[in-house]
Amino acid sequence: NTGKSVLNSNRSRFTRSQKLQDFHDDLLAPEINIDKLKSTLADEIKNSSHPEKLTILSSEFITSVFFNYPNIDEKVKRIKTLGVDGVIIVVRNQAKLIESQYREHPFEPKDLVNGKPINLHDWVIASGKLEYSFLEALNYWRLIDNCTKLFSKEKVLVIQFEELISN
C-alpha cells in the first residue's frame, strides 16, 4: 500500500505536523471553528517550503460516513468556506469499494469497533438502514452535482480510481 509506505517513511508533511493532523480532525468534527481552520490553513501554506505552489488537501474521510462527522454535503460546504478554489474527486467502482470497506471492517456498520462480525450481504443491508448510510456515499452523481454547484463545473475534476492506479 503506497499510502502506508509514505506515512511510515515520514515523508508526508501531514505525519510531521501535529497542526495539520489537528486541522484534519477539526475539519471533520461535528462542530467546527471555521476561523481557526482558515488560520491554520493559511499558516501551513505560508510556512511551507514552496508557498507559491498549489496546495492540495486530500482525505478519504471527506466522503466517508464512518469514524467522523457523517454529513458529506456539509463537509463539502466546509471545504468551500475555507476558500478552496476547486476539487478533484476520485471515484471508485462502487462494488469494489463496498468489498474493500467490508474487508477493513466486517462488523455491524452501526458499531464498526465493537459490533459482531457479519457477512457481506448483511453488512450491505445494515449499512443501508443507517441515518447516514455508507451506501449514500456511493451516489457519486449527487457529490459531483453538489461540488459543481459550489465550485462551478470548470473547477471540478472527476477521475476514476481504477484509471488513476493503472497509470
Side-chain angles (χ1 to χ4, degrees), residues 13-150:
R13 251 177 85 198
F14 181 80
T15 59
R16 294 188 315 264
S17 170
Q18 185 61 50
K19 197 171 182 181
L20 275 178
Q21 292 171 38
D22 292 344
F23 170 86
H24 179 268
D25 292 346
D26 291 346
L27 179 65
L28 302 173
E31 301 292 325
I32 64 166
N33 178 335
I34 198 68
D35 292 329
K36 177 183 173 190
L37 288 169
K38 284 181 177 180
S39 174
T40 300
L41 183 59
D43 287 349
E44 284 297 321
I45 292 170
K46 183 178 72 176
N47 295 327
S48 72
S49 55
H50 301 283
E52 71 284 355
K53 290 190 173 184
L54 177 68
T55 298
I56 297 176
L57 305 174
S58 174
S59 175
E60 291 179 357
F61 287 111
I62 293 170
T63 56
S64 175
V65 298
F66 296 138
F67 305 113
N68 65 76
Y69 183 60
N71 188 320
I72 297 168
D73 294 336
E74 178 61 32
K75 288 186 281 189
V76 172
K77 287 178 188 171
R78 291 174 180 184
I79 298 295
K80 177 65 176 174
T81 304
L82 288 175
V84 172
D85 293 329
V87 294
I88 300 171
I89 302 168
V90 179
V91 297
R92 185 173 181 185
N93 174 292
Q94 288 101 328
K96 293 189 182 302
L97 182 55
I98 289 170
E99 290 172 3
S100 175
Q101 287 291 297
Y102 173 75
R103 273 193 311 272
E104 288 183 28
H105 305 287
F107 309 104
E108 291 179 353
K110 65 182 177 192
D111 188 357
L112 293 173
V113 177
N114 298 310
K116 68 176 185 171
I118 60 175
N119 65 48
L120 176 60
H121 177 266
D122 292 344
W123 188 88
V124 171
I125 298 298
S127 293
K129 294 178 180 177
L130 298 173
E131 178 182 1
Y132 289 100
S133 170
F134 164 70
L135 301 178
E136 185 61 30
L138 301 176
N139 183 349
Y140 299 144
W141 182 249
R142 178 178 164 183
L143 173 65
I144 294 165
D145 187 52
N146 189 12
C147 287
T148 56
K149 286 177 183 171
L150 288 170

